[in-house]
């Protein structure tokens, strides 16, 4: 019979230290749920024919979806975990026992940076020694400190290791050890400890300083950086740029509003809405950067709803859609071209209003003015036009993680 190797991915933690409602293994890391990265690494190891995920019971369906999108070679299934990691692992082992593998790699779902190489070296050590733990040398000096604060001793750093996962065992050995732990009431924080407690030797295998466990949200930017460095095709996306242009006729008896600011002038601008030509250009630039069409598509001037509409409100509506798709304005630059009136006295007020509408800092909003030198309809004072350039940046998705993906 060929040797069979299974991976048991422990993903049942509530992630209370993480501060999101969603368990941390489903939090976004470089555009994918964190769990997916571990699954992909295990699926890439040829010797592994089966992957079992231990998930918190309200998230079983979510875990199945992640497995389905991540695992293409191995067979997989999902089983329910328990409150403590130790119990979750035992649940997973008992689930695997129905069709027991020879060897099992136990892995923390919150170590997304594990590599096929680390997994393979753990398997290789377990074949020879029956129990292997991935680990790395310790870089800090470690002292044992008495509860009263006094240093007991300085440990010999050359012999210390930080323990990671995978931890790989003969299946029967680790199952027996975990069952014994329940009988004897042993509480452990890793799987090798139960095997050690049985008196069975455990051998170190090669881990990596990059194989970090994501514990707090502060770990995510570093994990993202590591992931992007490994995968050059996942570089931080460049900001998206959009351009907008608009022109409105000058009309007597109409108010003049530019960048959401009322400007004193004998003549205003003609138009279906409040005719704020500058905000129309900005709105079109935002839609352009987002790849969402143009202002006329969203707010047709044939629709009486938008008669006299406040262009600031239309911009806000567009921004809601943009935010929902995970983007936000980086900066905005507007050029207003008008023979009259003078824009300079209103410039700071316009910047402030623009910044408020676009939800950016005032230094990220800019307003410029030109006269067109008396040339053409704008230069002759028959129309006012405006150009706008906007950048959109991707927003960090994990701050928006919601718990509405759960089964219940
Ligand atoms: Mg317009």
């Amino acid at each position: 019979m060929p040797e069979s190797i299974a991976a048991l991915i422990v993903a049942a933690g509530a992630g209370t230290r993480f501060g999101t409602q969603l368990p941390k293994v489903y939090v976004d890391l470089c555009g994918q749920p964190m769990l997916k990265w571990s699954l992909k690494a295990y699926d890439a190891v040829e010797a592994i024919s089966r992957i079992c995920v231990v998930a918190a019971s309200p998230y079983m369906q979510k875990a199945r979806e992640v497995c389905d999108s991540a695992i293409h070679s191995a067979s997989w299934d999902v089983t329910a975990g328990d409150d403590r990691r130790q119990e979750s692992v035992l649940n997973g082992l008992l689930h695997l026992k129905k069709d027991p593998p020879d060897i099992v790699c136990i892995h923390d779902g919150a170590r997304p940076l594990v590599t096929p190489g680390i997994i393979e070296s753990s398997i290789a050590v377990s074949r020879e020694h029956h129990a292997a733990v991935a680990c790395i040398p310790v870089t800090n000096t470690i002292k044992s400190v008495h509860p009263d604060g006094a240093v007991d001793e300085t440990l010999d750093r050359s012999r210390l290791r930080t323990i990671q996962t995978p931890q790989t065992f003969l299946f029967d050995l680790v199952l027996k050890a975990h069952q014994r732990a329940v009988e004897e009431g042993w509480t452990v924080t890793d799987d090798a400890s139960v095997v050690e407690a049985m008196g069975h030797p455990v051998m170190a295998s090669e881990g990596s300083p990059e194989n970090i466990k994501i514990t707090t949200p502060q770990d995510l930017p570093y994990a993202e950086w590591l992931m992007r460095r490994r995968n050059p095709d996942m570089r931080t996306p460049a900001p998206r740029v959009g351009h907008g242009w608009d022109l409105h006729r000058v009309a007597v008896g109409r108010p003049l509003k530019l960048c959401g600011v009322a400007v004193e002038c004998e003549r205003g601008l003609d138009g279906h809405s409040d005719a704020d030509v500058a905000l129309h250009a900005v709105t079109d630039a935002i839609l352009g950067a987002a790849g969402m069409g143009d202002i006329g598509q969203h707010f047709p001037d044939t629709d009486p709803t938008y008669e006299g509409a406040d262009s600031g409100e239309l911009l806000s509506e567009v921004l809601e859609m943009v935010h929902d798709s995970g983007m936000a304005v980086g900066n905005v630059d507007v050029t207003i071209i008008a023979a009259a009136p003078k824009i300079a006295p209103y410039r700071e007020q316009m910047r402030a209003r623009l910044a408020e509408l676009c939800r950016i800092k005032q230094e990220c909003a800019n307003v410029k003015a030109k006269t067109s030198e008396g040339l053409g309809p704008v230069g002759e004072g028959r129309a006012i036009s405006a150009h706008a350039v906007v950048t959109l940046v991707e927003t960090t998705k994990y701050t928006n993680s919601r718990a509405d993906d759960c089964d219940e």
Side-chain angles (χ1 to χ4, degrees):
M1 276 267 286
E3 156 197 73
S4 79
I5 304 180
L8 187 66
I9 313 295
V10 191
T16 41
R17 278 178 289 184
F18 212 75
T20 52
Q21 275 184 286
L22 193 68
K24 67 181 171 186
V25 290
Y26 305 108
V27 161
D28 182 283
L29 176 66
C30 294
Q32 315 273 9
M34 193 189 299
L35 174 63
K36 188 167 172 179
W37 296 108
S38 306
L39 297 178
K40 284 166 93 164
Y42 279 84
D43 192 44
V45 175
E46 214 185 320
I48 291 176
S49 55
R50 183 176 173 198
I51 298 172
C52 176
V53 172
V54 188
S57 44
Y59 292 94
M60 303 272 286
Q61 184 52 33
K62 179 90 185 145
R64 281 186 204 107
E65 285 164 21
V66 179
C67 286
D68 192 45
S69 68
I71 306 173
H72 304 296
S73 303
S75 67
W76 59 266
D77 55 4
V78 174
T79 191
D82 216 317
D83 290 344
R84 291 188 311 146
R85 184 188 184 284
Q86 192 176 339
E87 293 158 353
S88 290
V89 171
L90 181 56
N91 281 6
L93 293 171
L94 290 171
H95 181 77
L96 286 174
K97 190 179 173 229
K98 294 169 199 163
D99 178 17
D102 301 312
I103 289 174
V104 61
C105 305
I106 303 177
H107 185 73
D108 295 326
R111 287 190 194 270
L113 285 134
V114 68
T115 61
I118 295 171
I119 300 164
E120 279 158 0
S121 70
S122 177
I123 291 170
V125 172
S126 78
R127 281 191 183 118
E128 198 175 338
H129 299 278
H130 303 171
V133 283
C135 59
I136 53 167
V138 167
T139 51
N140 291 311
T141 296
I142 311 266
K143 294 181 193 292
S144 154
V145 179
H146 192 269
D148 72 8
V151 170
D152 282 330
E153 73 176 304
T154 300
L155 302 166
D156 176 5
R157 193 169 72 179
S158 69
R159 296 187 57 183
L160 295 175
R161 299 289 182 271
T162 296
I163 298 305
Q164 305 180 331
T165 64
Q167 302 197 354
T168 305
F169 310 92
L170 289 187
F171 180 76
D172 293 340
L173 170 66
V174 72
L175 173 61
K176 201 179 294 173
H178 266 290
Q179 286 174 323
R180 175 92 179 271
V182 172
E183 287 159 20
E184 308 275 343
W186 300 333
T187 301
V188 294
T189 52
D190 78 335
D191 307 294
S193 298
V194 290
V195 174
E196 290 159 41
M198 295 246 297
H200 194 287
V202 173
M203 197 58 101
S205 73
E206 203 170 322
S208 161
E210 295 189 1
N211 182 22
I212 57 169
K213 186 170 182 181
I214 311 291
T215 309
T216 70
Q218 289 72 42
D219 298 327
L220 273 175
Y222 178 53
E224 291 225 357
W225 181 81
L226 288 170
M227 201 63 97
R228 291 190 196 284
R229 196 180 56 162
R230 268 183 208 181
N231 301 283
D233 56 321
M234 291 193 322
R235 288 188 310 268
T236 308
R240 301 169 66 138
V241 178
H243 171 258
W245 175 84
D246 198 17
L247 177 144
H248 281 246
R249 282 173 200 276
V250 165
V252 184
R254 288 270 302 178
L256 179 61
K257 231 173 150 189
L258 292 169
C259 291
V261 174
V263 174
E264 270 185 55
C265 190
E266 296 156 12
R267 295 191 288 176
L269 291 175
D270 204 7
H272 184 63
S273 66
D274 66 5
D276 189 330
V277 66
L279 286 191
H280 293 180
V282 171
T283 306
D284 254 354
I286 294 172
L287 287 166
M292 290 180 176
D294 67 27
I295 194 168
Q297 275 172 265
H298 294 275
F299 313 106
D301 59 9
T302 49
D303 186 338
T305 320
Y306 302 115
E307 194 170 336
D310 177 346
S311 298
E313 282 176 18
L314 304 185
L315 189 154
S316 297
E317 260 185 63
V318 163
L319 214 53
E320 275 312 313
M321 298 191 308
V322 165
H323 284 177
D324 284 348
S325 63
M327 291 179 278
V329 174
N331 73 306
V332 51
D333 182 25
V334 181
T335 303
I336 298 168
I337 308 157
K342 288 211 174 312
I343 301 299
Y346 298 95
R347 191 195 306 264
E348 287 312 303
Q349 212 186 327
M350 287 179 180
R351 281 183 79 186
R353 181 63 184 142
L354 209 48
E356 186 184 8
L357 284 169
C358 293
R359 303 183 216 172
I360 52 178
K361 291 182 190 157
Q362 197 166 326
E363 59 261 38
C364 296
N366 192 61
V367 177
K368 310 195 292 292
K370 297 281 176 199
T371 63
S372 205
E373 304 285 336
L375 296 172
V378 173
E380 290 160 7
R382 291 186 283 126
I384 292 179
S385 75
H387 288 269
V389 174
V390 162
T391 57
L392 291 182
V393 290
E394 276 194 19
T395 48
T396 324
K397 294 178 190 104
Y398 55 82
T399 54
N400 303 328
S401 297
R402 293 178 300 225
D404 55 8
D405 289 324
C406 111
D407 295 358
E408 289 171 355

